[in-house]
Amino acid sequence: MASLQLGSPSSISLNLLQEAGHHVDTCMAEDKAYPELAERLGVASSSQPSVSGISELDYPSLSVPSVGLADLPQLSPTKRVPLPPELIEQFGHMQCNCMMGLFPEISRAWLTIDSDIFVWNYEDGGDLAYFDGLGETILCAGLIKPKPNIFQPHIRFLMCLATPVEIVLLGVSFAKPHEDIDLDDFGRREMHLLPEPLFSIPSDNTYMLSVVGTNNGRIFMAGKDGCLYELTYQARDGWFSRKCRKINHSSSTLSFLVPSFLYFSQDDPIAQISVDNSRHIVFTRSEKGTIAVYDLGNDGWSMSRTVALSQNHIMRQATYVARTIDRSNFKEIVHISAVTRRESQKINLVAVTHTGVRLYFTVQHFYGTYQVYTGQERPSNLVLVHVRLPPGFTANATQPRPSNVHAAHYSKETLLLCASQTEDADLLWCLSPDSFPFQRSLMETEVTHIIDSRTWVIAEIPQQPTIQPPERVRSQAHRTQPDPPGVVTQHTQPSARFVLLSSQGSYMVNKLRPVDQLRQLLLNNMGADCPAVESFFRLHKEEQACATSLILACSRATSDAQIMDWATIAFFQYGGEPRVRGFGEPQLAANLGPMFGSTTPMVGQSDGHPGSVATPSVATPGPGMHPNIASTPFGTTPGFQQQQQQQQHQQQIAPQSQDVEFSGKFKGLCLYFCRLTRSIWEAYVVMEFPVPAQFPVPKVQHQQKWLTCSFESDEVSWALEELTALKQFLQRNSQSTTIGDTFGSPTMMSFVRPDVTIGGLPSTQLHREREQRASAAAQKVEREALVNMGHLISATCEVLALLQLLCYHQFHAIAATLMPEVQQQLRNMTLRELVLNGKEVCTALITALINRYIGDNATTDAISSKLREVCPSLYSKEDAICSKASELLKASMHSQTRSNKLKMLQESLELFKKISHQLNLDAVCQEYHQARFYDGVVDLCLSAAAKRDPQSLAIHYYKNGEPPEDIQGKTVFMARYECYKCITDIMEELLNTSRAHPASPSLPNKPGPPATPDPHQMTSQQAEAYIEAMLNQALATDDELFHVALYDWLVDQGLTERLLEVNSPFVEPYLKRATQYKPDNLDMLDLLWKYYEKTRNYPAAAKILCKLAERHSTDISLQQRIEYLSRAVMCAKSSTLRTSSATEGEFLHELEEKLEVARLQLQVFESVAKIATQDPQYGDALSLLNSELMDITKLYGDFADTFELSECKLAIVHCAGHYDQQLVQALWQEIIERELEETTNKAASSRVTILTNKLVSLGKIYSSSERYFPVSFLVLLLEKKSCQLNWDSLWVFKAFLSLEVPLSRLYVIYDQHFKAKDPFWQTARSPLHLLEVICALLDYFCDTPAAVVIHERRHFITVCLDAISSYKVELEATAQMPDVIRRMLAKFKQLQAKLDRMLMGK
């Protein structure tokens, strides 16, 4: 399923939830900040015992006027249930012995009369059962949980009966009278004793006085001989053990082999056994007060005696600790009780004396408050660490003290004492600290009650909590921390019930929780408007009392309607008001005053004020926030100064949440939320368990474990119901709370009572106004915090409802489909993190749930409706639309006809378009890609882009140059581009498919026949067709930003030719902007001139090309610059052909000149490259020449002249039109001499050829201008070189003839040079060299008369004949070299004859 993106408009702001989460964290920390029992007793270390009970604050009186709670109920009225009538008759048959006891685990009392035992339900006196199968007097009885895997499942308990002769184990089972009764509700089920004993062993004449079992099924018995025995049993006999046997742990380990009559009798029988199942320790108390400690080991299955303290030793220790107390108060110990790890980490045992003194012991040494306990410490000693005196030991005590205590019970810091008043009546004392939780010292209330008979035994009735959280791995280590005070757990833990058994029957009494006390006060006073209820709020502090009243106000019982109203009134009436710290300290009522002084501040207080822990906030205090600054001193103040101060006060009173002391109402709400979610808030949401063997895991998943919800279904259901009730409470009272806007109550104003008045007693109008502003500011901060808490409660309800729904649909199966990274997130998430930061994970879970339906081809309507009902903010209306669209998309994949498939796809597209701005577009587009619905891809993405930017801010941001300070514009611009990217990503996939070679062979993955080709695989031709269709559809849109994104993609993919084919008004602005904002991007400039050329905008193309050519950059070579200029010239010429503008003509001329200079620069570049060496100046020169176009002057001066490039200098001079005859002649001489120098090592013929080619190549360039091709100078220079090198005399004039220099002109030049009589020829000893060349030239003419045009030929022949005559005369007059002269005369005579014939022939 395509999921919605986070941050939809309907979603709750994460910051608001985080702030509410901070409040919850603070309350959680406060609830965990209760001190350890040893701390409240003032025990710093095991070597520093302490004493308490001698201060008035140890047992504060609630009846004093300052408290006003004399009628505060602490115990419920006693319920008396008489013994069954059948038992009364049995007393008349008693002969030897009578014993009574309680089995509170099964709500039964027992009575033995001689050899018979009777068991009945002490709640109503019914279900009487008996066993009379023994022949001896029953001495004691015990009920034990059996060891596992030994007996049949129907045997739930074992009853151990001890007689002087034997010890018997009986099986106890229960029948269900009704199917709706829980299996563990033994009080409502019928008990049956199996008639035949399971085990029976001889007692060896040892009298057993009591029997106690452990949680793991071990049975310990207290012997009258002072020894501790254990009855062991197993399924079958072993080599060295029997099925059932008796072990004496007070002697050697082989004592079971020795008959008991061989032991000397002891005079100190064991009177009581107490077991600490949490630490696996057994304590025993003898009749003379000796206390012994036995260690059962870490696993609870071993046994060793650790230590024993005699009564005298204990009394001496107690007397040393409480030196002012009479030692007789410690003389007789009547009761011991093990203190479990859930009650204290350091205190292990409480012993009660006959005067009600409690002695606290530890079995291990500890030092300091912060000592860490691992739970593996074993007992090593027994040390008295504290003496707690009962009421009546204070200096001014008037109340009586307990005396003649004969029965006691200690549990969870509550002590019940039965003190004999008369032989037929007892006084029941109850001492409990529940009214003073979180105090640094132990403070207890006392209450007494008359019992009209002598109590034989006291026991606490096990109560099943409303919800029992299982042991689970938590984010923090909480296992080492003792249970919190009852006020923290009173919403789940029922009130403690105790049963007192006597010969008159059973007495049931309840110790009321604070919530029970408040309920009773409301009932007794018929409402909340009474001093007693107000005093209750004072006693428990506002926040604790408000949290307690919320239990009643949020009750779901219809019978509690009146109580709910009264509790609501009390909540608002006595919950206090918020205030800015330092303003308007709350005034205490005159009749209350400070309660019990201020010497026992609550844990977490820094100034004695409850709940003053600063609440974290995401905001920071504003400047000038000084709430503690006092106002102007009272008295006459000038008006201006007063006005100025008022303005300062207005600026100052703008508090943040950390500056506000929230009201008890708000704190109580946070506390109540914390306590409702206490067992799950910081627990990990999921846990792992191995995949069952019948569910093999696919290899691709690599999952060996499943994830399942770690919360029990009952636990989630209960928490959800309670939080829903709390949410409904806020809705019902929206007029008095601040979350009316959240829950749809527009008339809601504030979280204050209508009759609230500002605290404090103002003495001036200014002070009063200042306090009013401070109060209003505090109210505003609390309103905001309460709204956030409302959001948090709703969010928690939705997350719990989602978990409940996921569990119903097999959580492990849904979690297995999550992405691995999401699964890892889920593993590490507590409920807190899931609620506050788990929106994405919740969305993934919902998506997986919806996909489960879609994968099963099931309709999503029902599950969507359910999700909208239980978690509307996690699964919004848009999510439901998305699910329906996904369902249609999935169904289209299986459609049989093309038309039906397109119809479904179109319907899904219309649904997706409704929520396109919140969709995970990439996922939807991939689905459409699989369905080959590319029209839908383009349409959906463009729709999403438009909806994400309804005000078209992105195009404004784009056209303004994407300024970085425009954050809003940048945000929507990026949002649009994300939508466009989905289209281009699909097009890129199609492009890659179209570019794939269909005929390319693929390597086989495994041996065997080739794999069957996939008929659904897209071919390259299909991909090409699809991408062309997508391009056509995309280009048809008027979304300019999308065109920009599309053009960017075409450029990135190298499809520039396709871009130039686009006929759109957005192409030119795109290319112009790209060249403007990215001037270094040559590709864009290339595209721009090509676009102009393609659209026949030749002037613009020419300008771009010229700009490219003149660009200073090493990215463009000189050759490319010339090409750009050449194209620019072509474009300019094309432009002049279409229009005849003078400006365009000038531009063309300018381009042509630049092209000519550029070619010169290329010539210079090539020349430098040709002569370049390792010298860096050559590399620098080449780099400069290649990086930009230069003018002629720079080319000549910096390069041609510097590197002596004669040809280049000649070309530059020619191009510039500069004429200097000497310079030109010098340059030609340098060129010729350079060529001769470079060919020194070559043959003469090769040198002639090379020099001829150079002359011809340069002559073709300059021969049209006599200035730059001085033929006469060159002829003379070359002839001189030829003479010096003794080369052939014909090559010079033939080279010039090849340059189309007229032969007649050459003759005239040679003739002039001959007649000039240059001394060179004499020096060279070749005075007739030129004459020989003239002779050869004329001979060439005779052989090729066409060398002279026909109309000049006669005249030329005549001139030649005249010249020959003069040559002959000069030769004849020469006396030197007669042989040469004769030969030349002969040649001239021949030439004369030929010329004459030619003349005659004309």
Side-chain angles (χ1 to χ4, degrees):
M1 184 194 80
S3 62
L4 293 178
Q5 293 179 350
L6 297 178
S8 60
S10 61
S11 63
I12 299 172
S13 172
L14 179 62
N15 288 338
L16 298 182
L17 286 182
Q18 291 286 357
E19 186 169 351
H22 289 317
H23 290 300
V24 173
D25 293 341
T26 301
C27 291
M28 282 282 187
E30 290 179 358
D31 264 359
K32 296 174 186 174
Y34 53 89
E36 224 271 355
L37 176 59
E39 297 175 36
R40 286 185 289 129
L41 294 175
V43 180
S45 72
S46 58
S47 60
Q48 298 176 358
S50 58
V51 63
S52 65
I54 56 178
S55 170
E56 292 182 356
L57 290 177
D58 291 337
Y59 297 100
S61 175
L62 302 181
S63 60
V64 296
S66 62
V67 179
L69 286 173
D71 297 330
L72 181 68
Q74 299 185 55
L75 293 177
S76 66
T78 304
K79 174 186 176 183
R80 177 181 175 183
V81 179
L83 295 179
E86 298 88 343
L87 294 183
I88 303 298
E89 298 176 2
Q90 296 298 325
F91 280 114
H93 304 295
M94 181 176 61
Q95 296 180 0
C96 298
N97 189 35
C98 174
M99 296 291 294
M100 295 183 72
L102 293 168
F103 297 148
E105 302 92 335
I106 59 174
S107 302
R108 298 298 192 276
W110 58 269
L111 169 67
T112 62
I113 298 178
D114 298 333
S115 62
D116 298 335
I117 183 169
F118 301 88
V119 183
W120 73 98
N121 192 324
Y122 54 69
E123 295 277 1
D124 55 12
D127 192 24
L128 178 64
Y130 69 96
F131 181 76
D132 57 359
L134 300 178
E136 298 294 332
T137 300
I138 298 176
L139 301 175
C140 63
L143 192 73
I144 301 98
K145 288 183 179 180
K147 295 178 182 178
N149 304 322
I150 293 181
F151 305 107
Q152 293 296 325
H154 67 278
I155 298 178
R156 304 297 302 276
F157 291 93
L158 301 177
M159 185 179 292
C160 181
L161 303 177
T163 71
V165 177
E166 61 181 341
I167 301 171
V168 177
L169 285 182
L170 301 178
V172 180
S173 63
F174 294 86
K176 291 177 62 175
H178 306 290
E179 289 298 326
D180 58 345
I181 297 178
D182 188 74
L183 288 175
D184 293 330
D185 189 359
F186 303 111
R188 299 173 60 191
R189 299 175 63 186
E190 296 180 359
M191 188 188 79
H192 296 280
L193 291 174
L194 273 62
E196 295 296 329
L198 299 175
F199 294 108
S200 177
I201 62 170
S203 64
D204 298 330
N205 295 326
T206 301
Y207 283 32
M208 301 300 174
L209 302 182
S210 65
V211 179
V212 175
T214 63
N215 286 347
N216 57 5
R218 297 180 71 174
I219 304 172
F220 293 99
M221 298 174 293
K224 190 176 181 180
D225 57 358
C227 296
L228 177 66
Y229 293 89
E230 181 180 1
L231 183 67
T232 63
Y233 56 93
Q234 56 191 22
R236 58 182 59 88
D237 289 334
W239 283 99
F240 299 102
S241 62
R242 301 188 300 273
K243 277 188 178 182
C244 185
R245 58 195 178 99
K246 176 171 63 72
I247 301 176
N248 185 348
H249 288 299
S250 298
S251 58
S252 67
T253 56
L254 299 177
S255 61
F256 67 93
L257 300 176
V258 182
S260 61
F261 63 86
L262 296 179
Y263 288 102
F264 294 101
S265 177
Q266 298 185 14
D267 298 328
D268 193 11
I270 294 179
Q272 185 186 357
I273 301 174
S274 182
V275 179
D276 181 359
N277 286 295
S278 65
R279 298 186 179 92
H280 305 301
I281 303 174
V282 173
F283 300 94
T284 63
R285 172 183 64 87
S286 70
E287 290 184 357
K288 292 183 179 180
T290 298
I291 300 177
V293 183
Y294 295 84
D295 183 10
L296 303 184
N298 285 325
D299 58 357
W301 290 106
S302 60
M303 186 63 171
S304 64
R305 179 171 177 173
T306 302
V307 69
L309 293 182
S310 66
Q311 169 66 35
N312 291 333
H313 183 82
I314 295 172
M315 187 168 59
R316 285 196 302 271
Q317 284 187 333
T319 303
Y320 176 79
V321 174
R323 300 183 181 183
T324 61
I325 307 302
D326 188 357
R327 64 181 299 168
S328 62
N329 290 287
F330 315 125
K331 187 174 183 181
E332 182 181 351
I333 297 177
V334 298
H335 179 78
I336 62 171
S337 178
V339 179
T340 65
R341 183 178 284 114
R342 298 186 63 173
E343 298 177 56
S344 175
Q345 292 295 317
K346 301 174 181 178
I347 306 299
N348 303 97
L349 181 70
V350 175
V352 182
T353 69
H354 70 290
T355 58
V357 177
R358 278 166 284 174
L359 306 176
Y360 292 85
F361 294 88
T362 183
V363 297
Q364 55 200 2
H365 296 287
F366 61 88
Y367 306 94
T369 306
Y370 302 102
Q371 183 173 347
V372 178
Y373 291 88
T374 64
Q376 303 299 318
E377 297 84 1
R378 303 316 308 157
S380 60
N381 206 340
L382 185 64
V383 180
L384 176 66
V385 293
H386 186 77
V387 175
R388 177 73 172 183
L389 301 175
F393 279 87
T394 58
N396 300 320
T398 58
Q399 71 268 36
R401 304 175 183 177
S403 61
N404 299 322
V405 175
H406 62 88
H409 180 82
Y410 179 89
S411 175
K412 300 175 184 176
E413 301 185 19
T414 296
L415 177 65
L416 270 67
L417 302 173
C418 283
S420 299
Q421 297 292 100
T422 65
E423 288 190 5
D424 299 328
D426 282 342
L427 181 64
L428 176 65
W429 291 73
C430 179
L431 308 178
S432 173
D434 286 357
S435 294
F436 308 99
F438 303 103
Q439 297 294 332
R440 294 188 183 277
S441 61
L442 182 62
M443 299 171 62
E444 295 176 303
T445 57
E446 58 169 306
V447 63
T448 58
H449 189 77
I450 298 295
I451 305 295
D452 58 359
S453 63
R454 184 177 178 84
T455 303
W456 289 32
V457 64
I458 308 174
E460 183 177 4
I461 301 173
Q463 298 287 348
Q464 191 67 23
T466 306
I467 189 69
Q468 181 65 46
E471 285 293 328
R472 58 169 68 93
V473 178
R474 297 176 180 268
S475 60
Q476 299 177 359
H478 297 298
R479 295 183 178 182
T480 60
Q481 190 174 18
D483 288 344
V487 70
V488 177
T489 59
Q490 60 179 336
H491 58 288
T492 58
Q493 296 290 342
S495 58
R497 298 184 65 208
F498 299 94
V499 56
L500 290 73
L501 189 63
S502 71
S503 59
Q504 301 299 318
S506 54
Y507 296 82
M508 266 74 69
V509 61
N510 290 12
K511 183 176 70 68
L512 300 183
R513 304 165 296 173
V515 66
D516 301 322
Q517 294 173 344
L518 179 59
R519 173 193 287 270
Q520 198 61 44
L521 287 175
L522 293 172
L523 288 173
N524 293 344
N525 295 277
M526 299 299 293
D529 192 8
C530 63
V533 176
E534 185 176 4
S535 298
F536 179 85
F537 274 72
R538 284 294 312 278
L539 174 67
H540 285 275
K541 310 301 180 186
E542 289 176 353
E543 60 269 24
Q544 298 292 342
C546 284
T548 299
S549 63
L550 281 175
I551 301 176
L552 299 176
C554 298
S555 173
R556 301 189 302 276
T558 56
S559 59
D560 286 344
Q562 186 62 64
I563 294 292
M564 290 169 59
D565 293 340
W566 290 340
T568 302
I569 294 172
F571 176 83
F572 288 103
Q573 188 167 346
Y574 305 118
E577 305 303 331
R579 64 178 180 84
V580 178
R581 292 191 175 96
F583 283 92
E585 293 290 345
Q587 298 298 313
L588 302 178
N591 64 329
L592 291 179
M595 195 168 291
F596 310 124
S598 59
T599 58
T600 57
M602 293 178 62
V603 174
Q605 289 180 220
S606 58
D607 55 357
H609 192 282
S612 63
V613 178
T615 304
S617 171
V618 294
T620 56
M625 180 60 208
H626 302 291
N628 292 323
I629 296 178
S631 61
T632 305
F634 302 130
T636 59
T637 308
F640 174 77
Q641 183 179 359
Q642 184 175 2
Q643 181 180 4
Q644 184 180 14
Q645 290 173 349
Q646 288 177 353
Q647 293 176 354
Q648 291 176 355
H649 297 327
Q650 291 176 356
Q651 295 175 358
Q652 291 173 359
I653 304 175
Q656 306 296 331
S657 61
Q658 65 265 32
D659 303 313
V660 171
E661 183 72 29
F662 289 102
S663 68
K665 297 186 290 291
F666 179 77
K667 292 180 182 178
L669 176 66
C670 295
L671 279 174
Y672 187 56
F673 175 85
C674 292
R675 291 166 184 177
L676 290 180
T677 59
R678 178 174 172 271
S679 64
I680 58 177
W681 186 248
E682 295 180 337
Y684 287 111
V685 176
V686 297
M687 60 182 179
E688 295 181 336
F689 69 98
V691 178
Q694 62 269 29
F695 296 101
V697 180
K699 293 183 179 179
V700 294
Q701 293 186 10
H702 300 290
Q703 294 180 355
Q704 301 300 325
K705 292 184 179 180
W706 275 346
L707 295 179
T708 186
C709 183
S710 62
F711 305 146
E712 298 289 341
S713 58
D714 294 343
E715 191 177 11
V716 174
S717 299
W718 178 85
L720 182 58
E721 290 173 0
E722 295 296 327
L723 288 173
T724 303
L726 179 59
K727 180 179 175 181
Q728 292 170 352
F729 166 80
L730 296 176
Q731 292 173 339
R732 288 195 307 270
N733 298 280
S734 58
Q735 294 291 336
S736 300
T737 61
T738 60
I739 54 176
D741 292 339
T742 305
F743 296 107
S745 176
T747 60
M748 179 279 305
M749 294 301 294
S750 64
F751 197 4
V752 297
R753 300 194 308 273
D755 60 338
V756 66
T757 59
I758 304 300
L761 299 175
S763 57
T764 67
Q765 180 65 26
L766 177 61
H767 183 69
R768 184 182 302 108
E769 291 177 359
R770 183 167 176 262
E771 287 190 347
Q772 288 175 348
R773 294 191 200 100
S775 177
Q779 294 286 352
K780 180 181 178 182
V781 172
E782 181 163 288
R783 281 197 299 270
E784 295 172 354
L786 185 61
V787 169
N788 297 341
M789 275 303 300
H791 288 318
L792 180 60
I793 293 170
S794 297
T796 307
C797 288
E798 293 189 19
V799 170
L800 290 176
L802 175 61
L803 291 176
Q804 193 177 45
L805 190 61
L806 292 171
C807 291
Y808 178 79
H809 288 84
Q810 295 184 325
F811 189 98
H812 65 275
I814 296 171
T817 63
L818 297 175
M819 297 294 290
E821 57 270 19
V822 179
Q823 290 184 359
Q824 189 59 38
Q825 278 184 283
L826 194 56
R827 286 187 184 94
N828 299 327
M829 270 193 167
T830 61
L831 179 63
R832 176 191 183 278
E833 293 162 350
L834 188 62
V835 172
L836 299 183
N837 306 308
K839 172 78 174 180
E840 184 177 350
V841 175
C842 289
T843 302
L845 287 168
I846 292 174
T847 302
L849 177 60
I850 295 295
N851 286 339
R852 185 173 173 84
Y853 272 79
I854 295 176
D856 293 338
N857 295 324
T859 179
T860 60
D861 294 342
I863 189 63
S864 292
S865 176
K866 184 64 177 178
L867 285 168
R868 288 284 299 132
E869 175 188 348
V870 301
C871 48
S873 68
L874 294 176
Y875 188 77
S876 61
K877 179 181 177 181
E878 290 79 7
D879 289 311
I881 294 175
C882 182
S883 299
K884 186 62 180 177
S886 298
E887 178 187 341
L888 289 169
L889 178 55
K890 185 73 175 180
S892 69
M893 302 291 189
H894 306 286
S895 178
Q896 300 297 324
T897 62
R898 174 69 178 170
S899 59
N900 191 31
K901 178 179 181 179
L902 287 177
K903 179 182 177 182
M904 289 182 177
L905 289 171
Q906 196 63 39
E907 289 178 2
S908 71
L909 173 62
E910 295 303 320
L911 290 174
F912 278 136
K913 285 170 67 176
K914 293 179 181 179
I915 54 172
S916 57
H917 59 295
Q918 295 175 259
L919 273 179
N920 183 349
L921 280 179
D922 186 58
V924 179
C925 290
Q926 287 299 325
E927 294 285 348
Y928 278 157
H929 178 35
Q930 296 297 323
R932 301 186 183 180
F933 185 45
Y934 299 108
D935 291 348
V937 172
V938 178
D939 196 359
L940 178 61
C941 293
L942 294 181
S943 170
K947 287 189 176 182
R948 294 182 185 184
D949 182 22
Q951 299 178 348
S952 300
L953 298 177
I955 189 66
H956 181 267
Y957 171 79
Y958 170 77
K959 289 185 175 180
N960 282 349
E962 303 178 16
E965 63 273 8
D966 187 1
I967 304 301
Q968 186 179 8
K970 182 178 181 181
T971 302
V972 294
F973 180 80
M974 297 304 297
R976 273 185 174 268
Y977 254 71
E978 287 177 3
C979 301
Y980 303 149
K981 188 176 183 299
C982 294
I983 300 177
T984 55
D985 286 347
I986 298 297
M987 293 174 65
E988 186 171 349
E989 291 185 34
L990 291 173
L991 182 63
N992 293 335
T993 304
S994 67
R995 289 173 173 174
H997 251 296
S1000 58
S1002 58
L1003 297 176
N1005 295 326
K1006 57 183 179 180
T1012 305
D1014 184 5
H1016 301 290
Q1017 185 175 3
M1018 186 182 297
T1019 64
S1020 58
Q1021 293 81 5
Q1022 289 175 327
E1024 191 173 350
Y1026 283 133
I1027 195 173
E1028 189 62 29
M1030 285 187 73
L1031 276 173
N1032 293 334
Q1033 182 185 1
L1035 293 171
T1037 180
D1038 58 354
D1039 187 344
E1040 183 176 355
L1041 275 182
F1042 175 59
H1043 278 265
V1044 172
L1046 183 62
Y1047 300 160
D1048 282 338
W1049 180 80
L1050 288 172
V1051 172
D1052 292 340
Q1053 298 299 322
L1055 301 175
T1056 54
E1057 293 300 323
R1058 183 66 180 87
L1059 174 59
L1060 295 176
E1061 294 174 5
V1062 174
N1063 184 16
S1064 169
F1066 302 125
V1067 177
E1068 182 178 355
Y1070 165 79
L1071 293 174
K1072 290 175 69 176
R1073 186 182 186 278
T1075 57
Q1076 178 182 355
Y1077 286 96
K1078 297 180 180 179
D1080 296 333
N1081 193 336
L1082 300 178
D1083 294 334
M1084 285 300 166
L1085 286 170
D1086 272 338
L1087 282 176
L1088 185 57
W1089 74 259
K1090 289 178 182 177
Y1091 173 78
Y1092 283 141
E1093 186 181 55
K1094 194 173 185 65
T1095 56
R1096 298 188 176 183
N1097 188 355
Y1098 296 117
K1103 290 178 181 178
I1104 297 296
L1105 286 164
C1106 181
K1107 184 179 179 180
L1108 279 170
E1110 294 177 340
R1111 185 184 186 86
H1112 179 81
S1113 172
T1114 57
D1115 296 333
I1116 306 176
S1117 66
L1118 184 56
Q1119 186 64 44
Q1120 286 178 299
R1121 296 177 193 277
I1122 295 174
E1123 291 178 7
Y1124 284 141
L1125 286 174
S1126 300
R1127 283 188 172 272
V1129 170
M1130 292 175 61
C1131 289
K1133 288 181 178 179
S1134 300
S1135 176
T1136 56
L1137 289 176
R1138 300 179 65 189
T1139 60
S1140 56
S1141 170
T1143 304
E1144 292 177 354
E1146 293 176 0
F1147 181 60
L1148 173 61
H1149 179 67
E1150 180 183 347
L1151 288 176
E1152 289 175 339
E1153 287 183 346
K1154 289 181 179 180
L1155 178 60
E1156 187 175 0
V1157 174
R1159 287 171 176 162
L1160 283 176
Q1161 185 170 335
L1162 178 62
Q1163 182 181 352
V1164 173
F1165 179 84
E1166 292 174 348
S1167 300
V1168 173
K1170 190 179 298 182
I1171 64 173
T1173 63
Q1174 297 297 326
D1175 193 333
Q1177 68 170 338
Y1178 290 99
D1180 295 341
L1182 291 174
S1183 177
L1184 287 172
L1185 289 168
N1186 212 28
S1187 62
E1188 62 179 341
L1189 294 180
M1190 301 178 184
D1191 56 31
I1192 289 180
T1193 304
K1194 190 171 185 179
L1195 285 175
Y1196 189 93
D1198 294 352
F1199 298 98
D1201 192 32
T1202 301
F1203 295 101
E1204 299 179 353
L1205 306 177
S1206 304
E1207 291 183 36
C1208 295
K1209 287 193 284 185
L1210 179 62
I1212 293 171
V1213 170
H1214 175 262
C1215 180
H1218 174 74
Y1219 178 66
D1220 184 344
Q1221 182 178 2
Q1222 292 182 355
L1223 175 62
V1224 173
Q1225 292 178 357
L1227 292 176
W1228 274 108
Q1229 185 171 354
E1230 289 176 5
I1231 293 170
I1232 293 172
E1233 288 178 353
R1234 174 73 59 83
E1235 289 297 323
L1236 292 174
E1237 181 181 352
E1238 291 178 355
T1239 59
T1240 303
N1241 298 326
K1242 298 184 181 295
S1245 59
S1246 298
R1247 298 181 73 187
V1248 169
T1249 303
I1250 293 173
L1251 188 57
T1252 301
N1253 292 338
K1254 175 61 69 175
L1255 179 65
V1256 170
S1257 64
L1258 294 177
K1260 289 180 180 179
I1261 299 174
Y1262 306 112
S1263 60
S1264 59
S1265 175
E1266 177 64 26
R1267 288 182 171 186
Y1268 304 102
F1269 192 68
V1271 178
S1272 176
F1273 170 77
L1274 290 175
V1275 167
L1276 180 60
L1277 178 62
L1278 290 174
E1279 288 297 346
K1280 286 180 179 180
K1281 295 296 181 182
S1282 178
C1283 177
Q1284 288 176 342
L1285 298 173
N1286 197 25
W1287 287 352
D1288 181 26
S1289 59
L1290 303 179
W1291 74 272
V1292 176
F1293 74 81
K1294 285 185 178 180
F1296 282 99
L1297 287 175
S1298 66
L1299 290 171
E1300 299 181 355
V1301 177
L1303 188 145
S1304 58
R1305 185 186 175 196
L1306 281 176
Y1307 170 74
V1308 172
I1309 292 172
Y1310 273 100
D1311 183 64
Q1312 290 174 352
H1313 285 309
F1314 175 73
K1315 292 177 179 180
K1317 301 301 180 180
D1318 192 330
F1320 169 80
W1321 306 112
Q1322 294 296 333
T1323 305
R1325 297 182 180 182
S1326 182
L1328 301 178
H1329 175 81
L1330 290 178
L1331 198 58
E1332 290 179 354
V1333 176
I1334 291 173
C1335 182
L1337 176 65
L1338 294 177
D1339 186 49
Y1340 175 80
F1341 170 70
C1342 293
D1343 295 337
T1344 315
V1348 180
V1349 293
I1350 191 169
H1351 63 274
E1352 296 179 358
R1353 195 175 299 164
R1354 178 177 291 275
H1355 175 70
F1356 179 72
I1357 293 172
T1358 303
V1359 171
C1360 290
L1361 290 173
D1362 293 341
I1364 290 173
S1365 298
S1366 62
Y1367 297 151
K1368 290 171 62 178
V1369 171
E1370 188 170 348
L1371 286 171
E1372 290 174 352
T1374 302
Q1376 299 175 353
M1377 298 182 293
D1379 295 336
V1380 175
I1381 291 174
R1382 282 195 298 273
R1383 187 175 69 251
M1384 292 188 65
L1385 286 172
K1387 291 201 79 158
F1388 276 121
K1389 288 179 181 180
Q1390 294 176 1
L1391 286 174
Q1392 269 184 324
K1394 290 181 179 180
L1395 291 174
D1396 287 338
R1397 286 193 297 271
M1398 291 176 64
L1399 185 63
M1400 294 300 293
K1402 300 296 181 183

